[in-house]
Amino acid sequence: MVWQIQPPTQPEVIYPDSDGQPVANNTIQFGWIVEIKQNLDWLFADDPNVFVAGDLFWYPVEGRNTIVNAPDVMVVLGRPKGDRLCYQQWKEEGVAPQVVFEILSPSNTQTEMDKKLLFYDRYAVEEYYIYDPDRNNLHGWLRGEDGLDVIPQMEDWVSPRLKIRFTPLPEGLQLYRPDGERFLTYTEISRNAEQERQRAEQAEQARRDAIPRLLQMNLSIEQIAQALGLSVEEVRILAQE
């Protein structure tokens, strides 16, 4: 009888999605992370193949769960939107995040940031930006032939990948969209969303109020629907209210 020896099974590699640490160490750092992440979400909202994440674990090498980093914000062009517990690069057609942002806090050490730079250099990040809000310092690196090279002048620098513009000001960093509109804070985004909701409600109410007046002018249901951009059925329902 011939016995076939089965090779030993390899233990499953677990890729943690958290280290138990907070996303940010203070409200200033957290505010910047949220602002950059949300504005990039807004910028690429209509592109289904741009993935933007904040504080998400990125594993670049399959089977090596100790090789990991969690950029404050990362952008992956060419990968679909959607929720992920972590970014496992081998499951993403091997696409590495092209653009990474780090927001410094007082607890960040130079050794820690040197390790991050080495990691992003080694694993093919194309653009790397660090902003220190306490000192209002901005630094950037762009991939060249031999790896990530320091960007010597960051004033009015335009990201090759994202087309956003960096403008350091005395009161703090300002980022601008490709259309020239500045990045908004979370509060401003919320306020604008509320204003848009109110405008939409007002426009809807104006259409409702116009229907009785237009009927009194002997316009047909069809003519009113065309004038107000509504369906004939919508006009009939609103006319009966």
Side-chain angles (χ1 to χ4, degrees):
M1 179 178 295
V2 178
W3 295 92
Q4 185 175 2
I5 300 176
Q6 297 293 330
T9 58
Q10 296 293 324
E12 180 184 3
V13 178
I14 304 298
Y15 300 93
D17 54 28
S18 173
D19 57 4
Q21 299 299 312
V23 173
N25 292 330
N26 56 63
T27 56
I28 296 173
Q29 184 189 27
F30 182 74
W32 274 101
I33 293 171
V34 171
E35 178 175 333
I36 292 173
K37 199 270 183 184
Q38 288 200 325
N39 278 273
L40 290 174
D41 278 336
W42 189 13
L43 178 61
F44 294 107
D46 296 330
D47 191 332
N49 288 310
V50 177
F51 174 64
V52 181
D55 195 47
L56 184 72
F57 275 24
W58 164 28
Y59 293 95
V61 182
E62 185 175 8
R64 302 287 300 277
N65 61 3
T66 58
I67 301 177
V68 59
N69 221 314
D72 286 337
V73 180
M74 68 180 190
V75 183
V76 193
L77 300 139
R79 296 306 302 152
K81 288 177 170 47
D83 293 329
R84 294 160 171 81
L85 294 178
C86 58
Y87 190 85
Q88 299 177 28
Q89 190 172 320
W90 58 96
K91 293 183 178 180
E92 306 283 353
E93 297 185 359
V95 179
Q98 295 94 349
V99 185
V100 163
F101 297 82
E102 294 285 358
I103 306 300
L104 293 186
S105 71
S107 65
N108 291 126
T109 65
Q110 188 60 52
T111 298
E112 177 188 358
M113 300 315 296
D114 288 344
K115 288 181 178 179
K116 285 180 179 287
L117 176 59
L118 180 62
F119 183 97
Y120 298 143
D121 189 21
R122 179 174 295 166
Y123 295 109
V125 168
E126 297 178 16
E127 301 176 41
Y128 175 32
Y129 302 105
I130 296 178
Y131 180 57
D132 182 348
D134 286 341
R135 296 180 175 85
N136 193 21
N137 287 336
L138 174 67
H139 300 283
W141 289 261
L142 180 68
R143 182 162 295 279
E145 293 182 0
D146 300 318
L148 288 173
D149 296 328
V150 173
I151 300 170
Q153 177 57 262
M154 285 301 301
E155 185 173 356
D156 287 331
W157 169 260
V158 176
S159 160
R161 277 290 196 169
L162 307 180
K163 309 304 180 188
I164 63 174
R165 177 164 53 92
F166 296 76
T167 302
L169 300 171
E171 61 271 23
L173 174 65
Q174 183 62 66
L175 300 172
Y176 292 89
R177 295 160 48 95
D179 61 7
E181 293 294 322
R182 66 179 179 85
F183 274 28
L184 301 176
T185 65
Y186 175 76
T187 301
E188 289 172 326
I189 292 173
S190 299
R191 186 183 299 122
N192 287 351
E194 177 61 20
Q195 290 173 347
E196 286 296 325
R197 184 189 66 80
Q198 292 177 356
R199 279 194 288 267
E201 288 181 352
Q202 291 168 358
E204 177 64 22
Q205 188 60 50
R207 285 197 294 267
R208 289 171 180 267
D209 294 343
I211 290 173
R213 294 196 299 271
L214 294 174
L215 287 172
Q216 290 174 2
M217 295 169 60
N218 295 322
L219 269 69
S220 68
I221 295 291
E222 290 75 12
Q223 288 173 322
I224 296 173
Q226 184 176 7
L228 299 180
L230 300 172
S231 70
V232 171
E233 186 60 29
E234 285 175 318
V235 174
R236 287 200 178 101
I237 292 174
L238 292 173
Q240 294 172 0
E241 291 183 353

